[in-house]
Amino acid sequence: MKIATKYHGELEVNREEVITFSKGIPGFLEEKKFTLLPLNDEDVFFLLQSLKTSDLAFVIADPFAFYKEYDFNLASHYMTELDITSEKNVMVYAFVTMTDPFLESTINLQAPLILNREQKRGRQIILTGTDYKTKHPLFQKMMK
């Protein structure tokens, strides 16, 4: 199927690449269908592109690329909701707030995106009882 995107113009997307967020994303509850697109040639930054609204695309990143020690437990009700049966099926991303200058960009470690790569289901969860915040320096080691 063809979709209009915010940054890549019109693209052909396989139906198998569509990720469903049955509850939407906080602040965008009506947006339920997305696809992952590369932001650049690296495998760190991606776009979570809405299929419904072409101008809606979130920059997301692999949080472990920036915070190797990032860790949390996924509550069993999320595992059930996303039909996660194996750790191998889970992909974790975090929203990035891009700034100018780019080196001051931040990553939201408090509310990661959890995706079941096999079932193509997603959910943004909000972690409680952790020290994670919504704005961690993306380039923490460079900022010290």
Side-chain angles (χ1 to χ4, degrees):
M1 79 177 125
K2 284 194 179 194
I3 65 166
T5 69
K6 184 170 183 173
Y7 298 106
H8 296 306
E10 196 170 285
L11 289 177
E12 186 71 31
V13 174
N14 242 332
R15 291 199 187 280
E16 292 81 41
E17 296 172 10
V18 175
I19 302 164
T20 301
F21 288 78
S22 62
K23 299 183 190 282
I25 292 177
F28 301 90
L29 299 179
E30 299 302 314
E31 301 287 340
K32 300 196 186 300
K33 302 281 185 183
F34 290 85
T35 192
L36 275 180
L37 301 172
L39 182 62
N40 53 28
D41 291 336
E42 300 171 18
D43 284 338
V44 177
F45 295 103
F46 298 88
L47 294 169
L48 186 66
Q49 173 68 55
S50 167
L51 299 189
K52 178 180 175 185
T53 308
S54 61
D55 282 343
L56 183 62
F58 301 101
V59 177
I60 60 174
D62 173 358
F64 303 104
F66 300 96
Y67 286 84
K68 302 254 185 266
E69 71 285 354
Y70 186 52
D71 188 38
F72 59 90
N73 291 320
L74 191 58
S76 61
H77 65 278
Y78 292 126
M79 302 273 285
T80 301
E81 177 185 330
L82 296 173
D83 198 21
I84 295 171
T85 56
S86 169
E87 204 174 285
K88 295 180 286 190
N89 294 340
V90 178
M91 297 185 314
V92 177
Y93 293 100
F95 286 98
V96 174
T97 301
M98 306 291 268
T99 61
D100 187 14
F102 179 64
L103 289 178
E104 293 179 12
S105 296
T106 60
I107 189 166
N108 181 347
L109 297 180
Q110 186 178 22
L113 283 173
I114 310 300
L115 305 179
N116 178 331
R117 78 170 80 220
E118 193 174 274
Q119 300 294 324
K120 300 298 185 197
R121 294 183 188 167
R123 171 84 188 250
Q124 182 181 18
I125 65 167
I126 298 172
L127 302 176
T128 58
T130 72
D131 291 333
Y132 297 126
K133 301 180 212 54
T134 58
K135 292 191 179 281
H136 286 269
L138 195 58
F139 301 101
Q140 61 173 341
K141 291 180 175 68
M142 299 174 121
M143 304 308 267
K144 294 181 181 179

